[in-house]
Amino acid sequence: MAKPSREAVSGLLAGPAALAVAGMLVNGCNLLMNLIVARALDSDSYGAVSVQVSIFLILSVAGNALLIAVVQHETSGTGDTRREQWSWIRQLRGACGVGIVVATVVALVLSRPAAALMSYPHPVAIAEATIGAALWTLLCVERGLMQARGAYQRLAVNFVVEGFARIG
């Protein structure tokens, strides 16, 4: 069996395979961090962490859908000129910014009632997850743009930086 050349490997890592490598790296580190946290916390505290992560994951689904929509829009050729495309991107970023502000206000106002409704003793954590999910939408817009433009190495670096920031 022939050994892959250095050029072939670097060519793979310049494309979508870079995302796979980044994903494996970040997911491996996430697994390691979960094992460390599970070992360090008692069952009640680890349960609270699990609830917090679940709240964020549920709220972040909209951002993931937005990422797909951005890729679809950017690759469909909508907008005759680059100026029209940039106008759409600016409008979307602006809408995300407004959404972040609105989500922050709503989260701060409703976190205590939501925590009481869920019998969850950490209302600030609910607000944090909501605000984090709102910020996630803007990150998803940027990731969608990178993916649509084939900037796989930049996107892979983005995954790794975000993963390590979250772990930290």
Side-chain angles (χ1 to χ4, degrees), residues 68-99:
I68 294 166
V70 168
V71 172
Q72 172 62 32
H73 184 276
E74 283 293 296
T75 57
S76 70
T78 306
D80 294 331
T81 66
R82 196 70 194 139
R83 184 179 184 156
E84 289 173 351
Q85 290 174 333
W86 277 106
S87 174
W88 176 80
I89 294 167
R90 278 192 305 277
Q91 289 173 349
L92 183 57
R93 286 176 176 155
C96 286
V98 169

Side-chain angles (χ1 to χ4, degrees), residues 128-161:
E128 289 172 349
T130 304
I131 295 165
L135 290 168
W136 178 256
T137 61
L138 186 56
L139 180 63
C140 286
V141 167
E142 299 307 319
R143 284 182 173 174
L145 291 170
M146 284 188 268
Q147 183 177 342
R149 294 177 180 152
Y152 298 116
Q153 286 182 321
R154 282 185 31 218
L155 187 53
V157 169
N158 183 287
F159 281 147
V160 170
V161 170

Side-chain angles (χ1 to χ4, degrees), residues 32-105:
L32 181 63
M33 190 61 184
N34 269 311
L35 294 173
I36 292 169
V37 169
R39 184 91 169 137
L41 299 177
D42 61 27
S43 59
D44 288 341
S45 297
Y46 189 71
V49 169
S50 295
V51 168
Q52 179 72 12
V53 169
S54 296
I55 290 169
F56 173 78
L57 288 175
I58 290 166
L59 294 173
S60 69
V61 169
N64 294 328
L66 183 59
L67 184 146
I68 294 166
V70 168
V71 172
Q72 172 62 32
H73 184 276
E74 283 293 296
T75 57
S76 70
T78 306
D80 294 331
T81 66
R82 196 70 194 139
R83 184 179 184 156
E84 289 173 351
Q85 290 174 333
W86 277 106
S87 174
W88 176 80
I89 294 167
R90 278 192 305 277
Q91 289 173 349
L92 183 57
R93 286 176 176 155
C96 286
V98 169
I100 291 167
V101 171
V102 170
T104 300
V105 171

